[in-house]
């Protein structure tokens, strides 16, 4: 099976995120209302790739191992990911 | 024979010649160690110099830690071999798990290139023999991701066990505890954000870096045959 994988990496909760804080300030300075205080704004990264794997659990295990090994640094980052079968929902 | 120091070069490293030059002034023999090497080639110490290893893609040091030479460097470090990481080299050592913590974007989101004042904290490590706690060193920094980060538990542990090597007198980048350099618990692995090789000649405005790199040479001189160490100039 082929999967579309999307890994979201974000600054770990409690770690200073100067980039997020600056973006939050800029949004408020531009007059966008309702944006939470600067501690709620975070800038992370999105890592996308195709993955060939026999089934969903195997694909998830592989992606989790990739996150641990290379894609994230647990001291400063948290992550979550989606593993979407590439041929699902072909009628949509 | 003078001690041999392997100076690691990854694609994107750019301080290896400066570091090698200063180590040779200090009486060592420096050999550039390409990242594709599978051994440390008999080196008595390893320095991982600054730069942008593998373009700093993904995170600074994240790709470099998987370069073949790093397996050999990790084994050398675990066997007690002296390993010093400078700037990008510090980032590589934290990513490799050889030092606690991580280096994050500077709190002011600015690339900092300036001389800073550093207080010597712990000297029970490979760069401590010519330093005394409380002494203030003037050495340049040159980084965007130099804000030292670690958990509360790690901070307590490294503080209690004397692993904090240098602190910024005036914290320029938001580092936890103003930490500019840390050691592992054994003291044979040290990472520092400031560049001692850039403070090694009166022409550069400071010679304090000589005492940092000179300490590394001193601890090797003890391991091999006694080597007269030039105080540098």
């Amino acid at each position: 099976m082929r999967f579309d994988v999307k890994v979201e990496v974000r600054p770990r909760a409690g770690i200073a995120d100067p980039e997020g804080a600056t973006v939050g300030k800029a949004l408020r300075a531009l007059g966008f209302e309702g944006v939470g205080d600067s501690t709620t704004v975070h800038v992370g990264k999105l890592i996308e790739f195709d993955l060939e794997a026999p089934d969903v659990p195997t694909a998830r295990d592989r992606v989790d191992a990739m996150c641990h090994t290379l894609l994230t640094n647990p001291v400063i980052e948290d992550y979550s990911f989606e593993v979407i079968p590439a041929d699902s929902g072909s009628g949509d | 024979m003078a001690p041999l120091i392997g100076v690691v070069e990854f694609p994107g490293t750019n301080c290896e010649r400066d570091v090698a030059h200063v180590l040779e002034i200090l009486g060592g023999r420096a050999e550039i160690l390409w990242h594709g090497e599978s051994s440390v080639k008999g080196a008595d110490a390893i320095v991982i110099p600054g730069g942008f290893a593998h373009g700093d893609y993904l995170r600074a040091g994240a790709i470099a830690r998987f370069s073949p030479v790093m397996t050999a460097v990790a084994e050398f470090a675990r066997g007690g071999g002296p390993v010093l990481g400078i700037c990008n080299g510090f980032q590589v050592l934290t990513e490799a798990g050889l030092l606690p913590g991580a280096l994050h974007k500077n709190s002011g989101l600015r690339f900092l290139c300036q001389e800073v004042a550093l207080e010597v904290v712990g000297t029970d490590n490979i760069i401590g023999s010519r330093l005394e706690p409380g002494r203030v060193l003037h050495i340049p920094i040159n980084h965007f991701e130099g804000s030292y980060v670690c958990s509360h538990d790690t901070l307590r542990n490294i503080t209690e066990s004397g692993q904090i090597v240098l602190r910024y007198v005036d914290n320029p980048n938001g580092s936890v505890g103003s930490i500019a350099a840390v050691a592992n618990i054994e003291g044979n692995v040290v990472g520092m954000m400031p560049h001692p090789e850039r403070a090694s000649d009166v022409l550069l405005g400071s010679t304090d870096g000589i005492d940092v790199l000179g300490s590394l040479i001193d601890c090797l001189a003890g391991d091999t045959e006694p080597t007269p160490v030039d105080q540098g100039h």
Side-chain angles (χ1 to χ4, degrees):
Chain A
M1 287 177 78
R2 200 175 64 79
F3 298 92
D4 292 332
V5 180
K6 291 182 197 297
V7 179
E8 279 183 15
V9 185
R10 63 185 71 78
R12 195 169 179 177
I15 296 286
D17 178 11
E19 203 169 355
T22 303
V23 170
K25 275 187 223 163
L27 289 172
R28 280 187 298 280
L30 289 168
F32 289 104
E33 292 175 12
V35 178
D37 75 56
S38 289
T39 60
T40 68
V41 183
H42 297 292
V43 176
K45 58 188 138 190
L46 174 66
I47 301 166
E48 290 183 313
F49 53 94
D50 290 354
L51 179 68
E52 194 68 43
D55 50 49
V56 172
T58 307
R60 293 194 66 85
D61 284 351
R62 276 189 202 163
V63 174
D64 204 41
M66 292 175 197
C67 289
H68 279 294
T69 308
L70 174 68
L71 300 180
T72 73
N73 180 337
V75 178
I76 50 175
E77 294 169 331
D78 283 329
Y79 66 90
S80 55
F81 62 82
E82 287 180 278
V83 170
I84 304 156
D87 44 8
S88 73
S90 54
D92 293 346
Chain B
M1 193 139 83
L4 178 65
I5 301 105
V7 181
V8 177
E9 181 185 10
F10 299 97
T13 298
N14 59 20
C15 299
E16 72 282 3
R17 286 170 195 277
D18 311 44
V19 169
H21 171 74
V22 177
L23 291 170
E24 294 202 331
I25 285 174
L26 287 165
R29 286 180 300 139
E31 186 171 322
I32 304 295
L33 199 55
W34 181 241
H35 80 116
E37 296 286 352
S38 56
S39 85
V40 299
K41 295 175 84 175
D44 300 305
I46 293 293
V47 178
I48 306 180
F52 301 86
H54 298 279
D56 274 359
Y57 294 143
L58 192 61
R59 295 178 309 280
I63 311 278
R65 67 164 287 207
F66 293 108
S67 276
V69 76
M70 285 307 296
T71 304
V73 169
E75 195 177 310
F76 179 74
R78 280 194 281 272
V83 177
L84 173 64
I86 299 168
C87 196
N88 195 221
F90 185 8
Q91 295 161 339
V92 173
L93 290 173
T94 59
E95 283 283 342
L98 293 172
L99 288 172
L103 284 309
H104 194 38
K105 292 184 185 81
N106 295 340
S107 56
L109 289 179
R110 293 178 67 178
F111 191 97
L112 296 172
C113 182
Q114 64 200 52
E115 186 178 286
V116 294
L118 301 154
E119 182 197 351
V120 177
V121 183
T123 56
D124 195 9
N125 57 63
I126 55 164
I127 64 164
S129 68
R130 294 194 192 182
L131 306 176
E132 316 79 44
R135 178 172 161 195
V136 174
L137 306 175
H138 295 272
I139 298 179
I141 55 170
N142 185 72
H143 61 242
F144 180 68
E145 283 158 317
S147 184
Y148 185 77
V149 179
C150 64
S151 68
H152 293 298
D153 285 350
T154 300
L155 180 62
R156 192 178 57 244
N157 290 343
I158 64 175
T159 304
E160 288 173 358
S161 57
Q163 288 172 253
I164 298 172
V165 180
L166 301 170
R167 289 188 200 272
Y168 299 105
V169 172
D170 185 10
N171 192 348
N173 55 21
S175 291
V176 165
S178 296
I179 292 170
V182 295
N184 64 347
I185 186 117
E186 295 83 6
N188 67 306
V189 181
V190 170
M192 60 188 296
M193 287 314 295
H195 285 266
E197 77 279 10
R198 298 186 191 180
S200 57
D201 190 298
V202 284
L203 281 173
L204 298 173
S206 168
T207 56
D208 289 344
I210 286 285
D211 287 338
V212 173
L213 295 173
S215 296
L216 177 65
I217 297 282
D218 285 354
C219 73
L220 303 178
D223 288 346
T224 57
E225 292 170 41
T227 305
V229 175
D230 185 346
Q231 285 295 317
H233 42 261

